Amino acid sequence: MDALPLALCNEVLQPLGFERQCALAAALGYQGLEVAPFTLAADPLAISDGEARNFARVAADHGLAITGLHWLLVAPAGLSIVSSEAAVRRRTTAAMERLVELCAAMGGRYLVHGSPKQRSVPAGDSRDAARERALECFAQAARAAGRCGVTYCVEPLAPAETDFINTVAEGIQIVDAIGSPAFRTMLDCSAAGQAEAEPVDALIRRWWPTGKLAHVQLNDPNRRAPGQGTMRFAPILAALREVGYRGVLAVEPFDYVPDGPGCAARAIGYLRGVMESMHG
């Protein structure tokens, strides 16, 4: 298959500074970085538009694009889209809107809203009420994304991480409720391998034609990089080719074996090998 652009989730290369992350990712053969804002500043919301554009220039100097943002609500502390406290939700929505602006300033095309702790239903709270609060926050993020020309993606995550939005079908329910072309869902292979009844390639064939998925993150259900577990990625890449996927493939391991740089190197070697075998 034609090689799709591979982006590395930049937290894999911490504690290296951003410029060294770019140099190493480029040397390994990645075309982009998918950036976790908390890696750029203790308070990502304090990053100015000029600073955001400078991050894009640093990446470009190494031949990379900042493809998008993920792990959005880790910092600053205390954010939640489901909190019963209106003030907390206002701060959270303002953060989501600002991150949309920063993504656009960095040249990114999408944001991935995972952030499981900041969306899990509070103990003793009503699930329906929490969902309505989340929808209000997502609706405002979708409006900001539409204004800025980016796509805001809600990420289904495994039940071990959160009790809210665990499957692609549940993500699509949220997408339908928001009803904005700038708001979609996505597929994280590790989460899907843990939470879904169908294999990932079947999920792609079932849901991609709806137009409601916008992005893919590649990782194994054991939370390591592609090629470091039992999930087979050739069928996944074949399904993406069948549905005409033309986006970025983001490598997002959580368990770095043997370490961040080594994990990133093994992942791209494995994925390029799979792609080359399919092309042949």
Side-chain angles (χ1 to χ4, degrees), residues 113-132:
H113 187 116
S115 301
K117 293 180 180 179
Q118 293 81 19
R119 80 183 203 214
S120 297
V121 179
D125 204 350
S126 160
R127 172 172 292 277
D128 289 342
R131 184 179 187 274
E132 289 306 309

Side-chain angles (χ1 to χ4, degrees), residues 150-151 179-184:
V150 299
T151 301
S180 165
F183 187 90
R184 292 195 272 173

Side-chain angles (χ1 to χ4, degrees), residues 33-247:
L33 288 179
E34 183 173 303
V35 172
F38 71 86
T39 67
L40 302 181
D43 181 0
L45 306 184
I47 297 171
S48 69
D49 287 357
E51 289 169 331
R53 288 190 290 269
N54 189 60
F55 284 121
R57 282 192 292 270
V58 171
D61 286 345
H62 291 85
L64 300 176
I66 294 178
T67 59
L69 304 183
H70 72 292
W71 268 30
L72 303 180
L73 302 184
V74 173
L79 302 178
S80 171
I81 62 171
V82 295
S83 173
S84 60
E85 298 182 29
V88 171
R89 296 199 309 279
R90 283 194 297 271
R91 289 198 302 274
T92 303
T93 301
M96 294 159 73
E97 293 173 330
R98 180 59 185 153
L99 290 171
V100 165
E101 295 169 352
L102 290 174
C103 179
M106 292 180 195
R109 295 182 293 177
Y110 60 85
L111 298 93
V112 177
H113 187 116
S115 301
K117 293 180 180 179
Q118 293 81 19
R119 80 183 203 214
S120 297
V121 179
D125 204 350
S126 160
R127 172 172 292 277
D128 289 342
R131 184 179 187 274
E132 289 306 309
R133 296 174 199 138
L135 287 175
E136 291 176 5
C137 296
F138 283 141
Q140 293 187 63
R143 286 192 285 273
R147 290 193 301 271
C148 292
V150 299
T151 301
Y152 200 99
C153 300
V154 59
E155 179 181 15
L157 290 172
E161 297 182 73
T162 182
D163 57 359
F164 182 45
I165 312 173
N166 302 122
T167 65
V168 171
E170 291 169 350
I172 286 179
Q173 289 174 359
I174 301 296
V175 171
D176 288 341
I178 298 300
S180 165
F183 187 90
R184 292 195 272 173
T185 188
M186 51 81 64
L187 187 64
D188 177 278
C189 291
S190 178
Q194 298 173 62
E196 301 276 4
E198 293 179 285
V200 173
D201 58 306
L203 289 170
I204 291 166
R205 294 186 178 94
R206 174 191 293 270
W207 293 115
W208 222 278
T210 67
K212 295 173 183 177
L213 284 78
H215 183 52
V216 181
Q217 289 175 334
L218 302 181
N219 36 30
D220 193 274
N222 69 3
R223 297 175 65 80
R224 295 183 180 179
Q228 292 188 309
T230 59
M231 180 170 277
R232 295 179 60 242
F233 283 83
I236 294 169
L237 296 176
L240 289 170
R241 177 174 61 183
E242 286 178 27
V243 301
Y245 182 67
R246 292 293 180 268

Side-chain angles (χ1 to χ4, degrees), residues 2-7 31-32 67 109 245-250 272 275:
D2 294 336
L4 292 169
L6 287 168
Q31 287 87 33
T67 59
R109 295 182 293 177
Y245 182 67
R246 292 293 180 268
V248 172
L249 299 174
R272 289 299 188 212
M275 291 180 184

